[in-house]
Amino acid sequence: MEIKSFPFLSQEDYSHFYTLFPDMDDFDITGEGGLKKRRRKEDDSNNNNGPMSDILTTLILLDEEEKQEQEEFFVQTQQEKSILEANHRQKTRAMNEYLSDLQQNHAQSDELDQSRAKRTHQSAFAAAAVAAETANSGAGSEPGSAVPAAGPHRRLWVKDRNKDWWDKYNNPNVSDDEFREAFRMSKATFDMICEELDSAVTKKNTMLRDAIPVRQRVAVCIWRLATGEPLRLVSKRFGLGISTCHKLVLEVCSAIKTVLMPKFLQWPDENRMKGVKEEFEASSGIPNVGGSMYTTHVPIIAPKVNVAAYFNKRHTERNQKTSYSITVQGVVDPRGVFTDVCIGWPGSMPDDQVLEKSALFQRANRGLLKDVWIVGNSGFPLTDWVLVPYTHQNLTWTQHAFNEKIGDVQRVAKDAFAKLKGRWSCLQKRTEVKLQDLPVVLGACCVLHNICAMRNEELDANLSFDIFDDEIVPENSLRSATSVQARDHIAHNLLHHGLAGGAFL
């Protein structure tokens, strides 16, 4: 508001005016100074507008630069997006073309397979028709009449392989010594096994190929068990495929378990058990011994599951090499023939735990081993039916004598396992057989061992095998007070009735 002087006001009016408007001191309303304060404020505002304008100018420039950068980024993003979309369309087009070509090739391949199969069936039927017509014409023709020759017949799906090695041993003129050296048994025993398994392993011929003969099937299995050769070498010897040899081994082992095990590996009946007891008592002086028991380990490749359970700490420490195994527990008669086997428990289990898992243990719990002792080593517990040696320190002469006789009986089982592993070398090293198939293979080895033992098949001295299985005394080695008294009574009788041996007389 423009301020002017008022000459018509008195001094008293001016005083009153200043009271109402104290800020008016800055104005010269008398007319002498004019608008001094207004001009001073305008000068101050003009002095302050310089820095503010610079700041505003800078902000405007920064804003414009940011907008320009955003526009450039947007343009660049659009270009990259268009390039990616073009590449994607190109790849999609190429994949669609490839898929179309692949489907077309599959369709053509299926058509070729169908046409080939159709031609094969037609050729087979034509050959059968020609053969039938030839047979009929030959039967009805006069002697000397010409018989139309059939066209050349091509065998399908069969690869020619060298079978000279097998033909040599399949020849009736091969000597028995040569055959025994190769198959760990005589020709007569081999022929008996083939006759027993004939109905279980025989296959029928087809129009495309002849079935593998029974003798060759059994020979593949026995050779594989006897030598432990890799399947690729077995394949070359017998002129068969690798997968075929593997299949034959499992089929024949399964047939041995099904057909031969009930005949050649059984728990003795009452009459046979009586004879077993008499033979053991005659050799050891210990009465009522119905069998000698031992547990051995068979090495395996580390399984894919539950590896720790199959880890064999004792064999690892002895061989300085990580070892995995499964157990084979067996009971034998005085001739070393297996009467009971328990196969397949993990190698980390001690002998007493394997025993508790066996069918023999269940049979004893049902009271079926009454008045029968099964002799074991110090790895088994002393029970009402398992007789083991004394294991504490400072043994008496009586206890020493007892341990010596127990050792003689127990050695029968250990020798049987040594012959088992010596004759069937596949048990000496890690096998290619899967873990789930291994019990069948090991059972077949035990059955074949029994057959050889019953038929008095001698084992070559070069095939002898030393068994190393550590014995760990169970934590609870005395399971029955009655059995402790019975063992002491047997030991007393051995010493005082002159049955302990010359060293203790």
Side-chain angles (χ1 to χ4, degrees), residues 221-432:
C221 178
I222 292 181
W223 174 264
R224 167 79 165 149
L225 299 180
T227 63
E229 264 192 350
L231 288 172
R232 57 183 179 82
L233 298 181
V234 178
S235 169
K236 292 181 179 179
R237 289 184 184 276
F238 288 90
L240 301 172
I242 295 177
S243 60
T244 302
C245 291
H246 177 68
K247 183 179 179 181
L248 289 178
V249 171
L250 296 182
E251 286 181 353
V252 175
C253 286
S254 179
I256 290 174
K257 178 183 177 182
T258 303
V259 178
L260 298 182
M261 184 173 283
K263 297 181 180 180
F264 296 97
L265 203 161
Q266 280 189 333
W267 187 254
D269 57 18
E270 186 175 353
N271 292 331
R272 174 59 187 151
M273 181 59 74
K274 182 179 179 181
V276 170
K277 290 180 179 180
E278 292 175 353
E279 290 184 49
F280 273 123
E281 186 172 5
S283 62
S284 66
I286 302 176
N288 296 326
V289 175
S292 176
M293 181 168 55
Y294 189 81
T295 299
T296 190
H297 290 255
V298 176
I300 62 172
I301 298 175
K304 296 181 180 179
V305 295
N306 203 13
V307 179
Y310 293 90
F311 176 70
N312 192 318
K313 181 180 179 181
R314 290 162 288 172
H315 287 195
T316 299
E317 293 174 350
R318 180 189 298 112
N319 302 329
Q320 296 298 312
K321 182 179 179 181
T322 304
S323 300
Y324 301 89
S325 65
I326 65 171
T327 60
V328 180
Q329 173 190 287
V331 179
V332 302
D333 65 10
R335 294 185 298 168
V337 175
F338 288 102
T339 57
D340 182 87
V341 290
C342 177
I343 303 171
W345 290 103
S348 64
M349 294 177 60
D351 294 351
D352 60 321
Q353 293 183 13
V354 176
L355 175 64
E356 292 173 357
K357 299 289 186 180
S358 66
L360 180 67
F361 191 84
Q362 304 300 325
R363 189 183 301 122
N365 287 342
R366 294 196 300 267
L368 300 180
L369 296 183
K370 188 178 180 180
D371 298 329
V372 175
W373 287 112
I374 303 298
V375 174
N377 56 28
S378 58
F380 298 99
L382 178 65
T383 68
D384 291 333
W385 56 279
V386 178
L387 191 61
V388 298
Y390 293 96
T391 57
H392 59 268
Q393 299 293 328
N394 302 321
L395 300 179
T396 65
W397 280 12
T398 302
Q399 293 168 345
H400 272 295
F402 175 83
N403 283 1
E404 180 180 322
K405 288 300 181 178
I406 284 290
D408 293 339
V409 176
Q410 212 276 323
R411 196 173 297 112
V412 177
K414 189 172 183 178
D415 291 344
F417 274 104
K419 292 181 179 179
L420 175 72
K421 290 188 174 183
R423 191 184 300 272
W424 311 115
S425 301
C426 67
L427 307 180
Q428 301 177 14
K429 52 188 177 182
R430 296 184 301 176
T431 177
E432 301 170 355

